[in-house]
Amino acid sequence: MTPEPTPTAPPAPAPHRHAETKHGGTKHGDAKHSEIKHAETKHSSAKHGGTVPPAVVHHEPSPPWKLAALAALAATALALGIWSLLNVDPERIGGTGLIEALPPAFFVALALSLTGFVATLNLRRHTPALLAGQVLVMVVILHSADPIIHGLPRLEASYRHLGIADHIAKSGQLDPNLDAYFNWPGFFDFLGLVSGATGVKDLIGVATWAPLGINLLLLAPLLALATRITSQPRQAWAGVWIFFLTSWVGQDYLSPQAYAFLLLVTLLACVLSAFSGWAWPTGTNRFTASLARGVSKLDPTVPHQGMASPPPADAAVLVVVCAGFLVAMTASHQLTPFAVIPILAVFLLSGRLRLPFLPLLAVALPLAWLVFVASAYFEGHLSQLFGSFGDVQANTLGAVTQRVSGSDSHVLVVYIRLAEVAFVWILAALGAFMAHRRRTAWLTAALGAVAPLALIPGQPYGGELLLRLYMFSLPFAACLAVLTLIPDRNGTPGWRRALALLLLGSVLATATVVTRYGNDSMEKFTQDEVSLVNRLYATAPNGSILIEAIRNTPWQFQKYAEYDYRALLAAQPRTNPDPLTCDASNRIAQRSGAYLIVTTSQKRAADLLGTTPPGDLDHFIATCGTSPGWSKVFENAGGVVFHIKGAGNGI
Amino acid sequence: MAFDQKYASYAVAAVAVAAIPLSFVGPEGLRLVVIGLFLLAGPGTALVMLLRFGSPDQVEKHSTLPLAIAIAVASSLALSTIVATAMVFARMWSPPVAVLLLSLITLGLLALGAKRSREALVGA
């Protein structure tokens, strides 16, 4: 047995040291402010036993056999997890998604991985390298199922994104009138740069492995952020662990939102680390004094882990870096820059950000971009952008209600998603409440979790706003959730709490297997479908109209601007859906002809979401395929392509 | 730590220099690995090595490592994005020139970092 850790004298009083760098200590001569700070420090650390300054805690090293056993456990979990995923039969993936096809070995691997993390967290000596290994193993098992099983990018949007990057790489041109993507092209410009500079014309491999890559890249910024908003490293690691266990929204594909989210988390970690503190002297007037008192009353601590304030020259460089993050984010994604605004605003108002111009810059950049750069989109979509402004019910309950429909199995998946979100939020609220009672750090995380909700009155963002808000708030909510189980002082959580954490992790991981991969039957694509699309591209002359029956086809990954792409129906739930008729396709093809593609994934999407009556696409093919002017061009296991003759030159 | 930093600087400089010819010509796989790695972390790593995060004590160094990695990656991605976007809007699209520009920025930051380290040693 290793002895109990022995704290030695702390090197410096840490609470409020960031606030002191600009306005405190000898630099700031405000007596009232000093009084407030003095009172806070006394209040927090002495009277209420609040967060203890960061004592340098020396632990005996863990026995090598223990470390080796935990490393072996992680390696076993990794090998078993990958092996089990390689043995999944994709044909068994049904209405509730991947969980129907997963072998028991996958769950054993997941359990081993969770156990390994909790046991590592419970070692007497904090072991970051081993914790990182355990989290990475869990990320591979939980978030790389699609690339391992299917070997192709998931979601039809992945293929579209490749096409836009391909278009930019080849031409170096934007076509802002083609679609919204070209009005926020930053991420695609970057992909075009990668493609153009490496000579790799086909980035489909990058898109396939993007979910794993993006989650791995998120580990460092999430940990840096968690370190700033919790009281001790084990809480931070557990918060990151909970984040990955509950990150089911599936936005981690090769997408502008995944890229912008990475920048967002890094930006927030950076400002909380380097620029924490009040932006103004807190004793100069009644408002600032009462604001400081209110914040101090709610949470008398300032999380002290992480970076001390940098020297002035370095701070200036970091300000430029933060501005660069905002610029890159603004150029790449419509929504994320607007999510930054409320978060920075609440940090400013709670003494967690001492750069008042940063929130202003965060407001100015996306608005200026919308007006000056994305003007083509802005002018053409004013009603879409502002039509539902202030309609909170439509943007929340309306969007949720719209999603709770489709096949019975899909509705079950949606309900589990709602339950998981509610569970995380309840845990976060409980964690915030308990931390407030314990007088430990919670306010920064709570503010960060709640601030994105300010976007709700804006617009429904195509019905996806709530999903995105969950994603933006999750890094903070996850850190609050762990406060229910991980103690505030440095040291092991103890076996009771560790077991509770393991139980919690098991419940969340199992739920996430359902919620993350619940749409897998329609989000996965097969090589046959991609081959079908390639044959279509080889056959259809440039300028042709290409029609998909349901908007769920792995295409547009090349020749993005060369064809006129159309869809008969969006892949969305519809109440009492009408069957598809030949008329809609015939109307589109009336003038110059068209090619129509119907794929297996389209059929799955239609059945899963209830876009058409069950089995309607097969009926559509059987009836329309034999009608005058329709001819089957080719067919394989992935679907069928028809040519519909037009009245004109009949291409 | 200074020893580690010196060799890390050499590695970043080597990748930055190698990326320049590879952006014009070379085996596809090698170009993807070297240039991909460079665009993912090159300029940002040089920037992070220039900065001084907190106090030099070992405990603080460990706790700032995730932040340093995060800034290295995010600033590399952001800088690459800004350069590529500026080229598209300026109608001067040329990926090899973008890589050249980013390599020069990286090497410049490394040189500044080396100068700063030397000055710190002299000051000590």
Side-chain angles (χ1 to χ4, degrees), chain A residues 411-432:
Chain A
V411 169
L412 175 67
V413 171
V414 175
Y415 276 129
I416 296 174
R417 286 175 179 159
L418 292 173
E420 186 172 352
V421 170
F423 185 55
V424 170
W425 273 91
I426 289 169
L427 269 183
L430 194 62

Side-chain angles (χ1 to χ4, degrees), chain A residues 173 189 197 199 259 307 314, chain B residues 28 52-53 81 85 91 116:
Chain A
Q173 305 279 318
D189 295 336
Y259 168 82
M307 189 170 92
D314 298 56
Chain B
E28 210 175 75
R52 299 286 176 268
F53 288 104
T81 301
T85 304
R91 296 183 179 272
R116 198 178 185 194

Side-chain angles (χ1 to χ4, degrees), chain A residues 5-270:
Chain A
T6 46
T8 58
H16 302 281
R17 73 180 178 198
H18 297 297
E20 287 164 12
T21 51
K22 186 175 178 188
H23 298 297
T26 53
K27 284 185 184 175
H28 195 276
D30 191 313
K32 280 186 187 173
H33 183 48
S34 301
E35 277 170 23
I36 290 169
K37 282 192 303 179
H38 178 73
E40 286 166 6
T41 308
K42 192 177 167 189
H43 188 67
S44 66
S45 58
K47 194 173 176 183
H48 292 276
T51 302
V52 175
V56 179
V57 181
H58 295 294
H59 304 267
E60 289 295 316
S62 301
W65 68 265
K66 223 180 226 182
L67 298 177
L70 287 170
L73 192 65
T76 308
L78 182 66
L80 190 61
I82 293 173
W83 177 80
S84 66
L85 289 171
L86 286 169
N87 283 290
V88 166
D89 177 8
E91 292 301 316
R92 290 184 55 203
I93 297 172
T96 51
L98 184 61
I99 196 160
E100 295 177 35
L102 286 170
F106 174 83
F107 295 98
V108 175
L110 197 53
L112 289 178
S113 159
L114 301 179
T115 307
F117 175 84
V118 172
T120 307
L121 196 72
N122 210 32
L123 286 175
R124 283 192 186 277
R125 184 168 189 156
H126 175 57
T127 319
L130 194 52
L131 282 170
Q134 302 285 4
V135 173
L136 291 178
V137 168
M138 186 268 282
V139 168
V140 172
I141 294 172
L142 198 56
H143 294 285
S144 66
D146 276 319
I148 293 174
I149 295 170
H150 308 301
L152 281 172
R154 59 178 273 274
L155 287 170
E156 54 92 21
S158 296
Y159 296 85
R160 258 186 289 145
H161 295 171
L162 288 175
I164 300 162
D166 176 64
H167 176 78
I168 292 171
K170 282 179 180 160
S171 68
Q173 305 279 318
L174 302 174
D175 189 349
N177 295 314
L178 196 60
D179 58 38
Y181 289 120
F182 287 103
N183 290 278
W184 283 271
F187 173 69
F188 302 111
D189 295 336
F190 171 72
L191 284 185
L193 172 61
V194 172
S195 175
T198 60
V200 179
K201 304 295 176 211
D202 184 2
L203 292 175
I204 209 160
V206 175
T208 301
W209 288 95
L212 177 62
I214 287 163
N215 280 300
L216 295 182
L217 288 179
L218 272 172
L219 176 59
L222 283 170
L223 185 61
L225 179 65
T227 301
R228 290 302 306 168
I229 58 180
T230 53
S231 299
Q232 60 121 329
R234 285 174 218 252
Q235 284 181 345
W237 276 102
V240 171
W241 187 66
I242 293 287
F243 172 89
F244 285 119
L245 285 176
T246 52
S247 175
W248 61 263
V249 289
Q251 297 300 317
D252 50 3
Y253 61 104
L254 194 71
S255 62
Q257 59 266 36
Y259 168 82
F261 184 65
L262 179 71
L263 295 185
L264 168 81
V265 178
T266 308
L267 170 74
L268 298 177
C270 188

Side-chain angles (χ1 to χ4, degrees), chain A residues 17 56 128 168-174 182-183 185-190 192-201 203 206 217 219-224 227 259 262-263 266 269-270 273-274 304-311 313-315 317-318 321 323-325 327-328 331-332 369 373, chain B residues 19 22-36 39-40 47 50-55 57 59-89 91-99 102 109 116:
Chain A
R17 73 180 178 198
V56 179
I168 292 171
K170 282 179 180 160
S171 68
Q173 305 279 318
L174 302 174
F182 287 103
N183 290 278
F187 173 69
F188 302 111
D189 295 336
F190 171 72
L193 172 61
V194 172
S195 175
T198 60
V200 179
K201 304 295 176 211
L203 292 175
V206 175
L217 288 179
L219 176 59
L222 283 170
L223 185 61
T227 301
Y259 168 82
L262 179 71
L263 295 185
T266 308
C270 188
S273 299
H304 49 70
Q305 303 182 76
M307 189 170 92
S309 290
D314 298 56
V317 173
L318 283 173
V321 168
F325 292 160
V327 171
S332 300
W369 188 275
V373 184
Chain B
L22 284 172
S23 66
F24 290 94
V25 69
E28 210 175 75
L30 181 67
R31 292 172 75 184
L32 183 61
V33 170
V34 174
I35 297 175
L39 295 178
L40 185 69
L47 176 79
L50 170 70
L51 296 173
R52 299 286 176 268
F53 288 104
S55 71
D57 78 70
V59 175
E60 191 119 297
K61 281 269 179 208
H62 277 290
S63 62
T64 57
L65 185 63
L67 182 66
I69 295 171
I71 291 176
V73 171
S75 55
S76 295
L77 293 174
L79 187 61
S80 304
T81 301
I82 290 167
V83 168
T85 304
M87 281 187 151
V88 168
F89 278 109
R91 296 183 179 272
M92 294 167 61
W93 179 248
S94 174
V97 172
V99 171
L102 291 166
L109 289 170
R116 198 178 185 194

Side-chain angles (χ1 to χ4, degrees), chain A residues 10 25 46 94 137 436 498 517 579:
Chain A
V137 168
H436 176 57
Y517 297 106

Side-chain angles (χ1 to χ4, degrees), chain A residues 264 334-344 451-452 455 469 472:
Chain A
L264 168 81
Q334 301 97 314
L335 182 65
T336 311
F338 287 100
V340 175
I341 298 168
I343 300 176
L344 290 183
L455 295 180
L469 295 186
F472 294 138

